[in-house]
Every structure is written in C-alpha cells, then in structure tokens.
Amino acid sequence: MPKAIGLITCNYTTASKDDVFSGRPVASMPYLGRYRLVDFALSNMVNAGIRNVGMIMPNNYRSLVDHVGSGKDWDLDRKNGGLFIMPGTAFGTSRTGARFLIRDLVQNREFFTKNNEKYVVLSTANFICSVDIKGLIAKHEESGANITVLCKRASCDGNIDVVTFDVEDGRVKSMNQGVKFNQLAFLDYAVIERELLLELIDSFAAVDHLDLFEALNSEYGRFRVMVAEFDRYMKPIFDKDSYFKANMDLLDEDVLTEFANGYPIKTKAHDNPPAKYEPGCKVSNALIASGDRIYGSVQSSVLGRNVIVEPGASVRNSVLMQGVIVKAGAKIENAIIDKNNVVPAGTELRGTDGDILYLKKN
Amino acid sequence: MSKKECVAMLLAGGQGSRLGVLTSKVAKPAVSFGGKYRIIDFVLSNCANSGINTVGVLTQYRPYLLHEYLGTGEAWNLDERDGGVAILPPFATQTGGSWYAGTADAITQNLGYLESQDAEYILILSGDQLYRMDYEDMLATHKANNADLTVAVMPVPWEDASRFGIMNCADDGRIEEFVEKPAEPKSNLASMGIYIFNAKLLIDTLKEDDKDPNSTHDFGGDIIPKLLADGKRLFTYQFKAYWRDVGTVASFHEANMELLGSEPAFDLFAQDAPIMSNSSTRPPAYVGPKGSVDDSLVDNGCAIMGTVEHSVISAEVYVGKNAIVKDSILFPGAIVEDGAVVINAIMAERSVVKAGAHFGSADEETVTLGDDAVVEKGE
C-alpha cells in the first residue's frame, strides 16, 4: 500500500530567454531521443509505488496531454487514483520563479483531501535524475521532520532559477533564489505530511502569490524542514546550454548504465521499428532511437525517434529531436535541431562549442 | 453482443520443433523477430490494420511467455469492450477434455467461443507467418465470388511446388482440386493456410468432422477435401507480396536478413500498415566511441561497444569492446562479451558468449544458442 500521493507542477517557465523553451512547457521538452522531461518526475513517483499523481497543467498543455494520455505508460490508468490532470492558475507558462505556487495548491485543494495516504511528494519537471522516493520517505520518517527536501551541493555557480537553502545541522533556516558554488541546491523534490500541507495551504492563503518554500521563510523556526542529500547523477535543465549538456552527458557508458538500470524511466510507448543502419553508414559515440535511418555519418550526437540522416550527410556533436531529416550532404555541428525540421541537401548548420546553434521547431 | 462481420481465429499452439533450441522454452509465435518484434506481431498487426477487432488466439505449447506478451491485446489496439483478444488454451469440460489434435480440432473445441461471437465470416490464421495482408480485401473477394470458403494462395517457384499444398483452379479462381505435396504439381499456387469461411458452414462442417473417426481434424487434410467433394464454392485469393513461413533455422535466419539492406525484401518502415508490438520502453541504443554498426537493425536499450555488421540486434543487447557480431540475430538481452566473435549465429534471449569466445562461422550452417545459455571460451 503506497503511503504517498504525488504532485508535479508543470505550469511555470524558466528565466532563460533561450527560445529552446519557447512554445512548450519545460515538462514536455523532448530529451535524450525519446523522453520528455516530465518522465523523470512521473517515473520516480511510480517506481516508488505511488499510483495517485496530480499534474498541474500550463495553459499550453497540448503536448503534455498528448504525451501522458491516460497515464497508461506509467501504470497510472487506475480505477482508484491514477493520473489527475489539474488546472493551474491563469499564469500560463509566462510565470517564472515560484514553482510550488500557493495559489495552485489552494485551487487544487480537493486533490489533497480525496485520499487517505499519509504523505504528499512534491516535484517539478526540470531535473534529470533518478530519485529513490521510497528512500526519501524513509529518511523523512526517521528524522521526524515536518518536511524533507532533496538537495545536492552545487558543483559550480548555477542558474538563477534554482532554489537554495541555508542549512544548519541539516535543518533549513531560509531559502534563496539562485545558486552559487557549494550551496545546497533544491532538486524540487519534497516530502510533506498531507495533513500538514492542507494546514499550510489554509494558513498561507492570504499570501497565495508566493512559492510554498518562500512563504515558509518566516516559519523555518517553527517547522523542521530537513535536507536529504542526493548523490547520484543529476542535471538541472533551465537553459539551452544545460539542456545540451544533459544530452551529451549520457554519451558515457557509466552514466547511461546508471540511467538505464537504476530506476527505469518510463515514457510513452511508440510503434517504431528498430533503428536501421544502412550499408556504409558511420556511427560512433551516439545515442540512436528506434525508427531512425542512418545512411551518412553520426558522431557524438543524440538522435530522437524517426530521424533520417541521408547519404553523405554528417551530424557531429549535436542533438536532433524526433522526425528531423538531414538531407544528402548536409552537415550539422554543435547544434540542437528541434522536431520535424528538414535540413536541405548540402546546407551546413554550425554552432560552436561555446555557442550551440538552435533551429526551432518546424 | 452485437453481430460482427468477421472474427479471426489465430492458431498459435505449434511448437515449431524445427527451430530447435529457439523454441525449447517458448512457442514459435512468441519467438523474437526483427529486433523488436515477436513473430505473432505480424498477424496481430494485420488484424488491427484490417479492422478486425475480435481475435481468438489458440495456444497450447509452452504458452506462458505468449500469454504474458498478448496481455489484453492493448499493444495491437485490440483491447476493446466488444471484442479484443481472447486467449484460448485447451480446457476441460464435464465429459473430460483433451489437447488440440489438429488445426481443425483446435477450432472445434472452441466452437462455444465462436458461436458466442455470432459472426458472418470466420478468418483462420497461423500465428507463425511473416507478411502484410489486408484481410478486408480478401473478404471483399470472398463476397464478390459468393464463396463458401476462400483460401489465400501465392505462386511459389515450380521446383518448390511439391513441398506445398497446391490448389488447382479454374480461370475464375474457383478451386477444382487440392493436392497436398504433389509429386507432379499441375499448378504453383500454394495454400498459405489463411482461410475465410462462411461462419455457419464452418461450424456445421466442424461438428460433422468431429464425429468422423477417420478424420485427422486438419484443415488441409480433411476439411477442404470434404467441402470440395460436397461441391461447395471454394475460391482462391491470390497474394503476391512478401510472405514467409519461418519453419527452419535457415529460413528464420534468412527472413531476418531480408529486413536489411537499402532495399529490403520486407520493409518494416512502411507507413501504411505499421507492425505493432508489445515492447518495453528503453533508452535509445548507445553506440560507443569505439563501436561501429553497419547494415543492421538495432533496437532501443542496446549498448554496442564493438563491431556489428549485417545483423539484427534486439533490445538490451550488449556487445562488448573489440567484440565482433556479423550475419547474426541477437534476441533481447543477449550479451557478447569483450573480444568475443559471433558469426552467422542466432543467440536467444539473455544468452551469453563469454569474453574471447568464438561462436559460429561463415563456412558452416547457422548455429543457435538457447535462452539463457552460455558459451565459454574454448568450447
């Protein structure tokens, strides 16, 4: 019997002006050839036995609903519980900053009252990571905390969107926006007792424009909010460069093995044939999704489903999303090519190491 | 239950004994094929793509994996309230029960299911053949001929005709004679074991056949000759596209290889009638820095650190560093360790060729390794 229900907020955007995020919520951003970012939060919850998950939707929810459907591919098509698609307050995805906006929690209060599970697991969709949520709940119970937040020490100065906590003896004293080297960065996974969350929703209703953890800033003395540190592979995705890097990181056998075998990430199933490597193609250091057809050369790249690389075409150090066709003789280097683009024969698309070229969705 | 036009009965109980270790643990229709599929996917996809939403699957030999794989039929869009996949293994009744004694007997024992479906036409299929066919077109031919039974046939090379059940027909396609494996064939139209019957005729004929002590209860051997003798209207439906009955290790190997090349004999990528399968979701395949893949199919979840040439690689296969895989078929989860060489071989599910070991050679017949089997170095 699962002890928790899950809530994933999907209705916010990042401070980044990179147009890689324009036109779609972060949660439905394609990743690693065949996933969408929301797959991580959904799979982490489902892998922990949670079968009751609410998703707070952005206004441009088409791609997200197309992807999750009834929740079947995550075993969330249940008679009791399952996947709940819930409205966000009317900010669409133009809202940055707060990711657990109190107004959204107030509006969907009923979701937290309709069940008996003891805990609520909160999450967003920006972090590439396989989280052992069962272990997180166990830690929460062990420490007797009111709220447990999953954090990782930052290995470099990071994004303005990431939240950090000031901590003493593992207990949170305050939260801040933006992350600096060695600070405890919040991975947006938290465990809280359902009854306590309901109390907080009611008592913070007057400041419903705040983020839950922001509103708690005056209350960290009263509530014990404890940090659980995360030690596995993790990548926050808040801009073009981190998105590109998170794809390239997986071109490593060890990282990939951890990714594939630790806690499997589930995603929407498709009926693509296996990838077809044609006679004379050259492929090395690459992730190649099903449905691809490779005639030319692919090096150090990640290819989404149903990509075609025609004869004489070459793809290097790039991320190609699903359905991209690279026509004969075209060359792509240091680039992100969004869905369904056709790169005409003989053309060259080159970014540099420091400035990745982005070709927007067709 | 509303009246249905056509339901399919899919014979999937065969062992496929000539496939040797490949079917030692699973029924032939459940054998892995083409890197992502199991053999039964092709016929189930044909049903779904032809608008047939009710399929009875007759199972008998080693059914666990097959039953698990079929599930509710959801992977082929066959999980419908008024129809869907029904799994039909042999069962007991008040008067006993028995194994399916022949293709016709398997249907006879499930007449209860067929009668409950109340269909006008019954399509009989084999679960171990590879082809794309629009059964709706075959049914249209059946109706246009005002036929009692329509048999799908395809022209085979004359020199092979004596290995098949051959239909001798009039110019309008009406079958005049059926000869099983004729020494001197008069026609090269071979039966594909795909039949459309008028339901009432099939049910009545099977009930009669059941009482005949001399019958072997086989469609080709008993039912078709009887209907011909009775003067019923039997017609052929000519099929000219790709069709394979992968009965032997050699033909199984060849059919997989026919998926490869720039102009494959069977195109898995054809958009109009997709082959559906019940596959798990895995990350894209990883080709390592020293890995290379040429003229092959590679499914998701694989890691290719060595060299793969002219091969079919299923999900979650691992090919180690400096390993070579050539002219081979690797089923899901097969492992070729570092420096191993696999040539002209079929490795079944989760089988392992250990580091530095050699398995198969280009000069000999295709070798097979069973599920979970291991080849050590020096063996």
Side-chain angles (χ1 to χ4, degrees):
Chain A
M1 180 75 184
K3 289 193 243 183
I5 60 172
L7 179 78
I8 306 171
T9 57
C10 304
N11 60 333
Y12 56 87
T13 187
T14 70
S16 160
K17 295 283 178 277
D18 296 332
D19 52 6
V20 61
F21 294 116
S22 69
R24 60 158 76 94
V26 174
S28 67
M29 185 79 191
Y31 171 69
L32 203 70
R34 65 167 308 176
Y35 299 95
R36 303 274 182 159
L37 291 188
V38 74
D39 289 340
F40 289 85
L42 277 172
S43 299
N44 287 333
M45 290 183 179
V46 167
N47 287 340
I50 296 175
R51 292 292 183 273
N52 192 338
V53 177
M55 282 173 73
I56 296 186
M57 300 308 261
N59 65 345
N60 52 346
Y61 55 76
R62 185 194 49 77
S63 59
L64 207 46
V65 168
D66 179 25
H67 182 68
V68 298
S70 64
K72 177 170 68 85
D73 289 311
W74 298 264
D75 295 327
L76 287 174
D77 53 340
R78 302 287 97 188
K79 287 201 167 180
N80 299 306
L83 185 67
F84 290 86
I85 303 290
M86 307 194 294
T89 45
F91 286 82
T93 48
S94 62
R95 181 169 60 76
T96 62
R99 291 198 284 279
F100 301 109
L101 188 70
I102 290 168
R103 192 173 297 159
D104 288 335
L105 304 179
V106 170
Q107 175 148 331
N108 292 292
R109 191 182 188 282
E110 193 178 332
F111 174 68
F112 306 106
T113 61
K114 270 181 21 180
N115 43 69
N116 300 315
E117 280 87 345
K118 190 163 182 202
Y119 300 108
V120 179
V121 176
L122 300 173
S123 166
T124 62
N126 289 70
F127 290 86
I128 301 289
C129 54
S130 291
V131 178
D132 172 14
I133 287 178
K134 249 188 205 165
L136 189 64
I137 293 173
K139 258 185 207 158
H140 176 82
E141 290 181 328
E142 215 171 279
S143 72
N146 297 115
I147 303 175
T148 300
V149 289
L150 188 69
C151 295
K152 186 162 186 173
R153 230 165 251 292
S155 57
C156 59
D157 288 357
N159 201 283
I160 177 74
D161 287 295
V162 177
V163 166
T164 50
F165 292 113
D166 296 323
V167 173
E168 258 179 51
D169 294 331
R171 180 168 173 180
V172 172
K173 295 289 162 195
S174 66
M175 74 82 85
N176 309 290
Q177 198 72 39
V179 61
K180 291 261 182 331
F181 172 72
N182 210 33
Q183 282 185 321
L184 275 171
F186 183 26
L187 307 189
D188 288 358
Y189 281 85
V191 179
I192 180 170
E193 260 184 53
R194 195 172 50 84
E195 295 292 342
L196 175 60
L197 181 63
L198 283 168
E199 252 175 65
L200 292 180
I201 289 174
D202 294 341
S203 65
F204 288 144
V207 287
D208 66 359
H209 59 288
L210 294 179
D211 177 272
L212 176 65
F213 294 91
E214 203 177 357
L216 279 165
N217 248 344
S218 56
E219 305 280 351
Y220 284 117
R222 189 152 75 92
F223 296 108
R224 281 189 71 216
V225 179
M226 302 297 288
V227 166
E229 283 202 50
F230 186 69
D231 56 4
R232 291 166 60 92
Y233 176 82
M234 182 281 300
K235 199 85 198 169
I237 307 223
F238 288 96
D239 55 23
K240 185 179 74 181
D241 290 343
S242 59
Y243 173 78
F244 185 75
K245 181 80 169 45
N247 277 279
M248 290 298 151
D249 277 356
L250 272 287
L251 292 173
D252 176 291
E253 200 186 350
D254 294 334
V255 178
L256 189 67
T257 306
E258 180 183 315
F259 176 88
N261 299 343
Y263 306 92
I265 304 304
K266 300 170 167 69
T267 187
K268 183 179 177 180
H270 292 273
D271 276 311
N272 306 118
K276 192 152 182 281
Y277 300 69
E278 302 293 350
C281 74
K282 289 213 160 30
V283 180
S284 71
N285 196 35
L287 283 158
I288 308 287
S290 60
D292 290 350
R293 270 171 291 176
I294 319 288
Y295 300 82
S297 103
V298 178
Q299 245 189 330
S300 304
S301 295
V302 176
L303 270 54
R305 293 177 289 112
N306 301 335
V307 165
I308 301 175
V309 180
E310 290 194 355
S314 89
V315 177
R316 279 196 55 171
N317 203 42
S318 295
V319 175
L320 273 51
M321 294 187 204
Q322 69 194 65
V324 168
I325 299 173
V326 186
K327 290 285 192 183
K331 299 205 171 350
I332 296 174
E333 197 172 336
N334 298 321
I336 299 169
I337 312 295
D338 211 316
K339 276 172 67 174
N340 301 334
N341 269 296
V342 178
V343 180
T347 48
E348 297 198 12
L349 291 174
R350 276 183 216 279
T352 62
D353 258 350
D355 187 13
I356 299 300
L357 180 145
Y358 171 69
L359 188 62
K360 72 176 194 217
K361 187 165 137 187
N362 185 12
Chain B
M1 181 166 286
S2 64
K3 189 158 177 70
K4 287 175 186 161
E5 184 169 43
C6 185
V7 303
M9 294 295 271
L10 203 168
L11 298 159
Q15 177 183 357
S17 55
R18 287 174 302 158
L19 286 177
V21 294
L22 302 182
T23 54
S24 62
K25 290 184 183 167
V26 300
K28 186 171 156 193
V31 170
S32 173
F33 185 86
K36 166 149 187 179
Y37 309 95
R38 297 190 185 274
I39 292 173
I40 200 171
D41 283 333
F42 292 77
V43 175
L44 287 173
S45 299
N46 285 341
C47 287
N49 292 330
S50 303
I52 291 173
N53 77 346
T54 308
V55 183
V57 183
L58 299 124
T59 65
Q60 175 158 287
Y61 174 81
R62 294 214 179 257
Y64 304 137
L65 181 68
L66 188 54
H67 288 180
E68 185 189 323
Y69 188 69
L70 289 167
T72 60
E74 170 237 301
W76 305 270
N77 290 333
L78 289 170
D79 56 336
E80 300 201 358
R81 277 177 194 268
D82 188 11
V85 160
I87 295 175
L88 306 171
F91 57 91
T93 65
Q94 283 170 322
T95 54
S98 63
W99 297 110
Y100 296 150
T103 50
D105 181 56
I107 309 290
T108 305
Q109 290 202 36
N110 287 286
L111 282 180
Y113 170 76
L114 261 188
E115 284 170 330
S116 76
Q117 299 302 316
D118 192 19
E120 259 180 272
Y121 303 100
I122 294 163
L123 170 66
I124 309 284
L125 300 166
S126 283
D128 55 3
Q129 302 176 341
L130 305 169
Y131 62 103
R132 254 195 202 99
M133 188 192 281
D134 180 2
Y135 302 132
E136 260 179 312
D137 189 51
M138 182 174 170
L139 183 59
T141 306
H142 179 81
K143 288 193 234 172
N145 286 331
N146 193 23
D148 294 308
L149 162 62
T150 298
V151 182
V153 295
M154 68 178 304
V156 295
W158 279 94
E159 62 267 28
D160 292 341
S162 54
R163 294 199 290 118
F164 292 91
I166 296 294
M167 300 289 168
N168 300 325
C169 313
D171 289 344
D172 63 353
R174 183 156 180 179
I175 300 169
E176 293 170 335
E177 194 186 6
F178 170 71
V179 200
E180 191 74 71
K181 296 179 181 153
E184 287 174 26
K186 282 190 253 172
S187 145
N188 69 334
L189 293 177
S191 166
M192 301 162 70
I194 301 166
Y195 313 108
I196 292 179
F197 283 92
N198 289 347
K200 188 174 179 317
L201 175 71
L202 175 67
I203 291 167
D204 293 345
T205 309
L206 287 177
K207 282 178 178 166
E208 253 177 75
D209 176 73
D210 194 35
K211 292 183 200 128
D212 180 356
N214 298 318
S215 173
T216 58
H217 311 299
D218 184 76
F219 277 107
D222 305 284
I223 305 298
I224 293 175
K226 181 171 185 321
L227 293 176
L228 272 175
D230 290 354
K232 298 291 180 196
R233 293 177 62 82
L234 274 61
F235 281 80
T236 56
Y237 171 75
Q238 273 216 39
F239 183 72
K240 289 190 178 121
Y242 184 90
W243 178 84
R244 290 290 182 276
D245 176 4
V246 286
T248 63
V249 169
S251 66
F252 180 83
H253 186 264
E254 191 190 337
N256 272 279
M257 294 302 143
E258 281 171 341
L259 304 171
L260 302 176
S262 42
E263 281 177 35
F266 189 84
D267 184 8
L268 289 173
F269 286 79
Q271 299 288 319
D272 47 344
I275 307 299
M276 295 171 255
S277 70
N278 184 4
S279 59
S280 54
T281 53
R282 304 296 296 159
Y286 178 53
V287 181
K290 298 257 169 72
S292 87
V293 182
D294 189 47
D295 194 9
S296 297
L297 285 163
V298 180
D299 196 20
N300 286 330
C302 293
I304 311 293
M305 313 309 288
T307 300
V308 172
E309 273 177 56
H310 196 251
S311 293
V312 174
I313 310 293
S314 312
E316 292 176 76
V317 161
Y318 183 83
V319 176
K321 293 180 180 70
N322 300 315
I324 295 171
V325 175
K326 205 175 162 185
D327 301 325
S328 296
I329 302 151
L330 273 55
F331 288 4
I335 295 173
V336 179
E337 293 189 350
D338 293 356
V341 178
V342 173
I343 293 173
N344 190 21
I346 303 171
M347 291 175 65
E349 302 190 27
R350 302 169 304 278
S351 62
V352 182
V353 174
K354 289 283 195 183
H358 286 235
F359 186 60
S361 96
D363 315 324
E364 289 157 43
E365 280 186 10
T366 305
V367 290
T368 53
L369 189 60
D371 290 342
D372 303 295
V374 178
V375 173
E376 302 280 352
K377 194 179 177 184
E379 271 182 22

